[in-house]
């Protein structure tokens, strides 16, 4: 393989993260992500997948390590003074969608979408609303523009959450088990929206337990367990014929449960 | 004995004046007390140990003593300590504001706490600055959630305000008592006074459940 000519989109180096002295969650992660990649992260419960995404989003402090985005360092800690430096300007290029929607319940759908553009980027309300309605239409939600989150189904809420993140034109999207709180019949509509983004070459990092979805969306799969990367490769390898014993056990178990 | 409720009509104006005083006092103390309560609620969730300690002592003290004692203390003791005259209106307002501040601070504290940490995660993920997080996301949810309990707090204040008659303020209770003493018709007069309190408080308590059903259910807050 030849070395990539462009700098990696994301480079994590020696990420360490613990919750108190007893719970070591990330034990020195080194992950590089190239532009245009769609990285699916799989692994056993408690393996630190959510923690990894939360660290990338700047929601958690780290003990040691650094992350660069587009060549620019934006999260770092030298492990000495327990301080995590976060460059919020760079972080704004990253969008995240959570498992439990986290829409703002007191704002209607359009208000949820335009809050950040208007308050952070000082976009005119009319412009932001126009963009919001455009996005909602694309996601089949035009009729729900004035609805409140509580009046939406889980699948609709999750699509609104994705649209809300997209309003800020992210250069990378993080999805943390965005379909696992949904009723089975609602999973497809959300996955369709993410596949639609994939078709437009949006770089993304996805944590999921849905192996069908993983196979369909991934350009690369990482199996994380015990706070380290156990296996890393194309989806056919990691999901189809894993090299590592632990990956194989996990894949067997997950597929077994799914049947 | 024969009941004659028509005697009330003779004292209509006096009763209305008393009611006006009660409503005025309640309204002033609702506004001042809610503001105080909000600030104290914030202080009780603050990171400063000092602020938390002072605000907790205040709240626990005022919740743990009878309002009548608080009122008497402010009416009789505070002027002695400060060496100034306090009108009975002023001491009534101070006492009821402190009472309202204490009970609403608990309401605000609970509602502030009920805005979950995932709302803050969403704010950070959207790059919202701290000021916007507080003003546009946390405050509105906390206030909406607090409304039903705040309304109940207002009803409590409205009823407790009758205590100011004990320091000679001419509120509804005071006027009612006077009329009842002077006419020797306590059954008619005190019943009517009780009814007036009820007719005002009852719709407010109904409004609580209405708001809970309509607004809060719609937003699922
Ligand atoms: N705020 C926290 N405080 C203490 N421990 C935590 C906290 N958040 C997560 N943990 C612990 O860190 C470990 C990793 O959690 P994490 O949520 O990252 O796992 P995960 O791989 O996303 O699991 P799942 O598949 O169940 O979502 C777990 O053992 C969890 O209990
Ligand atoms: Mg998780």
């Amino acid at each position: 393989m030849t070395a990539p000519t462009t700098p990696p989109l994301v480079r994590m180096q020696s990420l360490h993260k613990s919750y108190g002295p007893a719970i070591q969650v990330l034990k020195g992660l080194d992950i590089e992500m190239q532009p245009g990649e769609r990285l699916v992260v799989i692994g056993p419960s408690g393996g630190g997948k959510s923690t990894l995404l939360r660290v990338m989003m700047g929601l958690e402090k780290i003990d040691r390590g650094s992350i660069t985005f587009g060549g620019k360092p934006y999260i770092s800690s030298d492990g000495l003074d327990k301080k995590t430096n976060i460059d919020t300007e760079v972080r704004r290029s990253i969008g995240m969608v959570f498992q439990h929607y986290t829409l703002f319940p007191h704002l209607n759908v359009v208000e949820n979408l335009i809050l950040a553009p208007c308050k952070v980027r000082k976009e005119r309300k009319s412009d932001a609303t126009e963009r919001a309605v455009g996005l909602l239409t694309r996601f089949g939600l035009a009729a729900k523009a004035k609805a409140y989150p509580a009046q939406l189904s889980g699948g609709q809420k999750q699509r609104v959450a994705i649209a809300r993140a997209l309003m800020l034109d992210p250069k990378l999207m993080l999805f943390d088990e965005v379909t696992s709180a949904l009723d089975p019949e609602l999973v497809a509509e959300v996955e369709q929206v993410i596949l639609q983004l994939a078709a437009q070459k949006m770089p993304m990092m996805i944590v999921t337990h849905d192996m069908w979805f993983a196979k369909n969306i991934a350009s690369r799969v990482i199996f994380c367990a015990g706070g380290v990367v156990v296996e890393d490769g194309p989806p056919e390898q990691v999901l189809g014929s894993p090299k590592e014993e632990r990956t194989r056990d996990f894949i067997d178990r997950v597929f077994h449960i799914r049947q | 004995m024969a009941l004659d409720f028509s005697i009330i009509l003779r004292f209509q104006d006096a009763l209305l004046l008393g009611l006006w005083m009660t409503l005025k006092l309640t309204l002033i103390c609702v506004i001042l007390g809610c503001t105080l309560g909000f600030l104290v609620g914030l202080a009780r969730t603050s990171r400063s140990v000092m602020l938390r300690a002072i605000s907790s002592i205040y709240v626990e003290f005022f919740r743990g003593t009878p309002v009548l004692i608080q009122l008497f203390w402010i009416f009789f003791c505070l002027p002695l300590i400060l060496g100034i005259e306090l009108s009975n209106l002023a001491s009534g307002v101070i006492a009821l504001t402190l009472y309202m501040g204490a009970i609403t601070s608990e309401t605000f504290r609970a509602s502030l706490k009920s805005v979950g940490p995932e709302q803050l995660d969403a704010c950070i993920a959207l790059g919202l600055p701290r000021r916007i997080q507080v003003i546009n996301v946390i405050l509105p949810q906390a206030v909406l959630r607090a409304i039903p309990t705040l309304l109940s707090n207002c009803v409590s204040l409205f009823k407790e305000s009758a205590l100011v008659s004990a320091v000679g303020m001419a509120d509804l209770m005071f006027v009612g008592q006077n009329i009842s003493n002077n006419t020797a018709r306590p059954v008619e007069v005190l019943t009517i006074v009780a009814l007036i309190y009820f007719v005002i408080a009852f719709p407010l308590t109904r409004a609580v459940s209405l708001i809970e059903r309509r607004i809060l259910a719609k937003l699922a807050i």
Side-chain angles (χ1 to χ4, degrees):
Chain A
M1 266 212 265
T2 56
T5 48
T6 43
L9 183 68
V10 179
R11 170 183 282 156
M12 298 173 220
Q13 278 175 314
S14 177
L15 272 192
H16 287 77
K17 162 79 191 167
S18 53
Y19 293 104
I23 314 170
Q24 276 272 334
V25 184
L26 306 181
K27 300 174 186 164
L29 279 188
D30 294 286
I31 300 174
E32 256 183 39
M33 188 179 165
Q34 306 306 326
E37 268 192 319
R38 290 183 304 281
L39 205 59
V40 166
V41 182
I42 58 169
S45 183
K49 305 178 301 295
S50 298
T51 305
L52 172 62
L53 293 199
R54 292 176 58 81
V55 162
M56 290 180 71
M57 194 69 249
L59 295 169
E60 301 284 351
K61 289 184 183 162
I62 54 175
D63 305 333
R64 190 145 57 82
S66 67
I67 314 180
T68 65
F69 185 84
K72 281 177 273 184
Y74 79 105
I75 290 180
S76 63
S77 169
D78 55 14
L80 295 178
D81 55 1
K82 290 188 177 290
K83 222 178 136 229
T84 301
N85 302 303
I86 300 175
D87 184 330
T88 47
E89 224 24 73
V90 175
R91 181 176 66 181
R92 290 217 171 102
S93 329
I94 303 176
M96 181 162 181
V97 182
F98 302 86
Q99 181 176 356
H100 292 288
Y101 327 120
T102 64
L103 296 176
F104 302 131
H106 60 299
L107 301 178
N108 70 27
V109 168
V110 165
E111 289 165 347
N112 261 279
L113 263 63
I114 68 173
L115 180 66
C118 290
K119 298 293 178 186
V120 179
R121 305 204 308 199
K122 311 286 177 214
E123 191 173 338
R124 288 224 323 263
K125 201 174 165 200
S126 54
D127 296 346
T129 305
E130 200 180 306
R131 287 200 304 126
V133 171
L135 260 180
L136 292 172
T137 309
R138 216 174 94 199
F139 289 176
L141 290 164
K144 299 290 178 188
K146 292 270 183 283
Y148 283 88
Q151 300 165 315
L152 304 177
S153 73
Q156 291 167 336
K157 278 188 233 185
Q158 206 53 297
R159 283 182 285 157
V160 171
I162 296 172
R164 185 175 68 175
L166 291 176
M167 287 294 288
L168 297 166
D169 301 314
K171 305 288 178 287
L172 168 67
M173 283 291 293
L174 309 176
F175 295 97
D176 187 7
E177 298 201 37
V178 292
T179 57
S180 42
L182 299 179
D183 292 338
E185 72 271 20
L186 302 176
V187 169
E189 64 187 54
V190 174
E191 291 180 344
Q192 282 309 322
V193 164
I194 301 176
L195 285 165
Q196 196 182 323
L197 287 178
Q200 295 165 342
K201 305 279 178 270
M202 169 71 79
M204 45 181 91
M205 201 156 155
I206 300 162
V207 173
T208 181
H209 284 295
D210 183 335
M211 291 304 147
W212 176 89
F213 182 54
K215 209 176 258 170
N216 275 279
I217 194 121
S219 66
R220 183 177 148 204
V221 178
I222 285 183
F223 175 68
C224 253
V228 293
V229 176
V230 175
E231 187 157 353
D232 179 350
E236 309 78 52
Q237 177 204 317
V238 181
L239 301 174
S241 48
K243 292 200 173 98
E244 298 290 329
E245 173 92 30
R246 287 170 77 185
T247 320
R248 206 157 33 232
D249 283 351
F250 175 77
I251 301 277
D252 284 350
R253 230 179 25 245
V254 173
F255 273 119
H256 185 69
I257 292 166
R258 295 248 144 201
Q259 274 158 18
Chain B
M1 73 189 260
L3 290 180
D4 176 16
F5 279 94
S6 67
I7 62 149
I8 288 299
L9 294 174
R10 299 212 321 263
F11 299 99
Q12 201 178 356
D13 291 351
L15 282 171
L16 278 177
L17 268 179
L19 176 62
W20 172 232
M21 176 57 93
T22 290
L23 290 176
K24 203 164 60 177
L25 183 67
T26 306
L27 193 68
I28 293 173
C29 296
V30 160
I31 293 169
L32 295 178
C34 283
T35 312
L36 177 67
F38 183 74
L39 296 176
V40 172
L42 275 182
R44 292 198 78 186
T45 56
S46 119
R47 255 175 259 162
S48 146
V49 182
M50 190 69 179
L51 271 180
R52 278 209 312 270
I54 294 174
S55 52
S56 300
I57 291 171
Y58 155 62
V59 173
E60 296 309 336
F61 187 79
F62 276 81
R63 274 164 29 114
T65 50
V67 186
L68 192 56
I69 283 282
Q70 297 163 17
L71 181 67
F72 276 11
W73 198 89
I74 285 163
F75 188 73
F76 294 113
C77 307
L78 199 59
L80 290 180
I81 294 170
L82 297 181
I84 49 161
E85 282 283 303
L86 273 184
S87 69
N88 49 11
L89 174 67
S91 50
V93 167
I94 294 174
L96 291 182
T97 296
L98 289 174
Y99 163 76
M100 187 67 172
I103 59 173
T104 57
S105 77
E106 286 293 288
T107 308
F108 281 119
R109 183 167 75 127
S111 69
L112 281 168
K113 248 173 58 183
S114 72
V115 180
E118 73 285 348
Q119 288 284 312
L120 276 183
D121 287 347
C123 288
I124 296 172
L126 290 169
L128 296 176
R130 184 72 193 149
R131 192 175 52 87
I132 304 293
Q133 294 176 19
V134 172
I135 296 177
N136 293 72
V137 177
I138 303 186
L139 264 189
Q141 289 185 55
V143 170
L144 278 170
R145 252 176 251 208
I147 285 176
T149 323
L150 282 180
L151 272 179
S152 310
N153 295 157
C154 292
V155 174
S156 304
L157 176 72
F158 173 68
K159 292 185 297 185
E160 296 290 356
S161 78
L163 290 170
V164 299
S165 61
V167 295
M169 265 184 81
D171 75 329
L172 179 59
M173 183 67 215
F174 185 87
V175 173
Q177 238 173 346
N178 258 350
I179 298 172
S180 137
N181 290 344
N182 292 336
T183 56
R185 291 251 176 212
V187 178
E188 290 91 337
V189 178
L190 294 182
T191 305
I192 292 291
V193 168
L195 272 177
I196 297 177
Y197 276 107
F198 178 75
V199 162
I200 292 172
F202 183 68
L204 277 173
T205 55
R206 299 308 301 170
V208 171
S209 56
L210 196 74
I211 287 173
E212 272 169 346
R213 271 205 318 273
R214 290 278 171 79
I215 304 177
L216 300 187
K218 179 175 166 198
L219 302 181
I221 293 189

